[in-house]
Amino acid sequence: MKKVIVSKDAPAAVGPYSQAVAFGNLLFCAGQIPIDPVSGEIVSEDVTEQTERVCQNIAHVLKANEMTFANVVKTTVFLTDLANFAAMNAVYAKYFTEPFPARSTIQVAGLPRGAKVEIEVIAAA
């Protein structure tokens, strides 16, 4: 049975989707963009600061299901410019540690609200 997971410390969904859905021992998290949950605005134009906010948002969603980054088994990173890969990766490495989750990184034409980075995760208990 699926269960909707909501964190008041992460940005509310901006469309018809859930922040995350738990199913059995798995947690499927919607992609997080760098929205500050208090102001509702993108935090910065800087991809480093954006990635920090994205990871903080992910941490709050994971915590709402009593999980941490250690539970993450797969990530998908969306970047509007792969030239930002190194800057994103430096921040990513502070949150995701060994054993690292599997990861895909994709350059996309655009992201919601003009974000430069979006990350979605799948976690397992």
Side-chain angles (χ1 to χ4, degrees):
M1 170 175 260
K2 71 180 184 179
K3 175 183 169 189
V4 173
I5 304 300
V6 178
S7 170
K8 64 179 176 19
D9 296 319
V14 295
Y17 63 89
S18 299
Q19 287 177 333
V21 174
F23 187 80
N25 70 330
L26 296 175
L27 182 69
F28 300 88
C29 296
Q32 288 290 317
I33 60 173
I35 294 177
D36 178 280
V38 175
S39 72
E41 300 298 323
I42 297 286
V43 294
S44 166
E45 288 295 314
D46 179 70
V47 74
T48 299
E49 292 176 24
Q50 286 196 9
T51 306
E52 282 283 350
R53 181 74 257 169
V54 166
C55 289
Q56 291 166 8
N57 292 345
I58 291 169
H60 291 303
V61 174
L62 290 168
K63 183 178 179 183
N65 198 51
E66 299 179 1
M67 292 178 158
T68 70
F69 285 97
N71 294 100
V72 176
V73 295
K74 171 72 169 86
T75 68
T76 305
V77 179
F78 303 93
L79 291 168
T80 57
D81 187 346
L82 281 177
N84 290 326
F85 181 84
M88 174 282 301
N89 207 44
V91 175
Y92 180 100
K94 293 187 329 187
Y95 289 89
F96 297 94
T97 57
E98 291 190 48
F100 298 110
R103 178 175 82 181
S104 301
T105 303
I106 304 160
Q107 180 172 312
V108 296
L111 290 169
R113 309 226 10 222
K116 294 181 178 182
V117 60
E118 177 174 352
I119 301 174
E120 65 181 28
V121 304
I122 300 171

